[in-house]
Amino acid sequence: MRHQSRLALLALPLALFLSSCVGIDAEARIGTDGAVDLTLAYTVSDAVEELGRLGENEAYLPLPVGRADLELAAGRAGGTLASWSRTDAADSFTVKATLRFPTPAAFALFMDPAGELATYTEASGRRTLSLTLAQGDPPADPGFAEFLRTAFGSYAVSLRFLLPRAALASSGLAVAGQVLSFTRPAAELYSSPEPVIVSFSW
């Protein structure tokens, strides 16, 4: 196993890790004051981590693995890293972290500093957050896409958003009161021929 950090990857949108072949479990709790508390856990197979080291495949694993990397990414967006841990297994490792952002805009900036894959807007008291989880640009080699589906079929992307009040509108998310959720196999997201976008307003 390798434990080196990926400072160079922080220039890439963090939203991209949601469509990588890793297991993601994230919960964002939005308070009445607009602050966002993010609980994040992602599991990375050693095989996937190795793929990320092979030239052009590096873009498929834009993950800030180290504590310093994640703290830097949060700080650049105006947020803070409250906790971080890494657990290594025989063939994978899991990173768990909690972060806090003062506003939804800061959270969106953390997810994508370029403001393209994660956007936040406010208009007439209506707040809207949108995340592009897959850009609809699957691997050109169908054999590689099939390999990912077979080797990493057990990995999933699970997202939950806890709102301070009922959503005014949502797209691509299951709604249960003030909780919005999304779950899909990671390999399916990674190989999606169409963009996968979730959004909601409150």
Side-chain angles (χ1 to χ4, degrees), residues 104-194:
F107 170 72
L109 185 62
F110 167 75
M111 294 302 292
D112 180 14
E116 298 175 353
L117 301 182
T119 61
Y120 172 74
T121 59
E122 290 186 20
S124 303
R126 184 186 183 100
R127 301 167 175 82
T128 301
L129 182 66
S130 178
L131 297 175
T132 297
L133 306 181
Q135 298 185 81
D137 186 22
D141 183 354
F144 184 59
E146 181 58 31
F147 162 74
L148 291 174
R149 283 192 294 270
T150 301
F152 310 111
S154 63
Y155 289 79
V157 171
S158 296
L159 311 175
R160 290 175 302 284
F161 300 94
L162 284 64
L163 307 185
R165 59 175 182 267
L168 299 175
S170 67
S171 176
L173 294 156
V175 181
Q178 295 172 217
V179 180
L180 310 180
S181 59
F182 172 94
T183 301
R184 187 174 296 186
E188 181 181 312
L189 272 180
Y190 177 81
S191 59
S192 175
E194 303 294 334

Side-chain angles (χ1 to χ4, degrees), residues 46-60:
D46 287 348
V48 176
E49 187 185 26
E50 193 60 37
L51 284 175
R53 303 175 188 281
L54 304 180
E56 62 185 20
N57 291 332
E58 185 173 347
Y60 299 148

Side-chain angles (χ1 to χ4, degrees), residues 1-4 46 49 53 86-93:
M1 295 182 186
R2 297 172 175 83
H3 300 263
Q4 62 190 26
D46 287 348
E49 187 185 26
R53 303 175 188 281
R86 170 170 170 156
T87 303
D88 292 286
D91 57 359
S92 65
F93 65 87

